[in-house]
Amino acid sequence: MSSKNAILSRLRHGRAASPANTAAFAAERAPDAVTPDLDIMVSALEAAHARVFRSTTGQWADDLAKLARERGWANWWIGGDDVGRTWQAHDSAPATTVFSDWDSQKAPLFDAAEVALGRARAGIAETGTLVVESSPQVPRTLSLVPPVHVVVIDEDSVVGSLHQALAHYENKSLPTNLIFISGPSKTADIQQTLAYGAHGPRELIVYLCRRE
């Protein structure tokens, strides 16, 4: 028997001998709910080199338009969510492209996109993490390709822990992807020198909004 076949044989027999005990896992007591601390979330995001702005659900677009003018961002990409529609309707917003077709839009997305805007469906306070859902209307590519990623999140969608964030999906279908974002893309693979933007956006900007 070859080494490959020997390994595969052990894996097959091991799997049969000890199947996963899903019932026991489901019966485990969930940890106590953690009260989300927004200041901890902001501190964690900022420690990971994200910029966080406190705003409101009715004010964030005005605040973002001011920042867009200051930074000179002109090439915006959005998905078909409520945040994208709000931004499109804003009087001062630059021209935007709705990302809807990979084949026809991938070249301009990779070559010219400056900023992507989207919504986080949840936030995890203890780790400063944004939970972004992908869908046909909001492909995950938008959170990965443009060099600047702007994310809007409502304060009342922030939970205390990862377990609480995932509990939201216990009785519903998961999206195609759940993207967990805790800062801009970074790596230190080369000579242990920290570099931003190697595998995704080099800048993360978060608008944490109080509901009006």
Side-chain angles (χ1 to χ4, degrees):
M1 181 183 293
S2 68
S3 298
K4 175 182 176 181
N5 288 335
I7 292 171
L8 291 175
S9 177
R10 287 198 299 272
L11 288 172
R12 293 188 188 102
H13 285 89
R15 183 179 298 167
S18 56
N21 189 347
T22 55
F25 177 80
E28 288 182 2
R29 178 180 178 273
D32 294 334
V34 178
T35 302
D37 187 322
L38 296 178
D39 291 334
I40 288 178
M41 181 168 182
V42 171
S43 296
L45 281 163
E46 290 178 340
H49 292 269
R51 292 185 66 189
V52 183
F53 297 97
R54 305 293 288 267
S55 188
T56 68
T57 52
Q59 180 66 30
W60 70 262
D62 292 335
D63 297 341
L64 181 56
K66 179 180 178 182
L67 181 64
R69 290 192 298 270
E70 293 172 354
R71 298 289 298 270
W73 291 325
N75 197 325
W76 288 74
W77 286 66
I78 60 174
D81 58 6
D82 64 309
V83 164
R85 291 189 294 271
T86 298
W87 183 239
Q88 274 189 307
H90 193 273
D91 293 337
S92 300
T96 60
T97 300
V98 180
F99 186 40
S100 58
D101 183 72
W102 170 256
D103 290 332
S104 64
Q105 293 181 306
K106 62 181 178 181
L109 175 66
F110 277 85
D111 295 341
E114 293 180 273
V115 189
L117 171 66
R119 170 176 291 285
R121 294 300 172 186
I124 303 172
E126 66 183 3
T127 56
T129 301
L130 307 171
V131 183
V132 175
E133 294 182 0
S134 69
S135 69
Q137 293 73 38
V138 187
R140 67 172 180 167
T141 312
L142 283 178
S143 68
L144 298 174
V145 175
V148 179
H149 188 199
V150 179
V151 180
V152 177
I153 180 172
D154 295 341
E155 287 184 354
D156 57 13
S157 69
V158 176
V159 297
S161 67
L162 174 62
H163 185 276
Q164 289 172 271
L166 294 179
H168 173 72
Y169 298 97
E170 286 181 355
N171 298 312
K172 61 182 291 189
S173 298
L174 285 168
T176 306
N177 288 279
L178 276 179
I179 304 144
F180 293 82
I181 302 171
S182 297
S185 170
K186 53 187 175 292
T187 183
D189 290 346
I190 302 174
Q191 297 181 343
Q192 283 70 59
T193 299
L194 189 62
Y196 290 89
H199 308 297
R202 65 171 179 265
E203 190 171 357
L204 175 65
I205 295 172
V206 180
Y207 283 86
L208 181 60
C209 299
R210 184 182 70 259
R211 191 174 295 277
E212 292 182 324

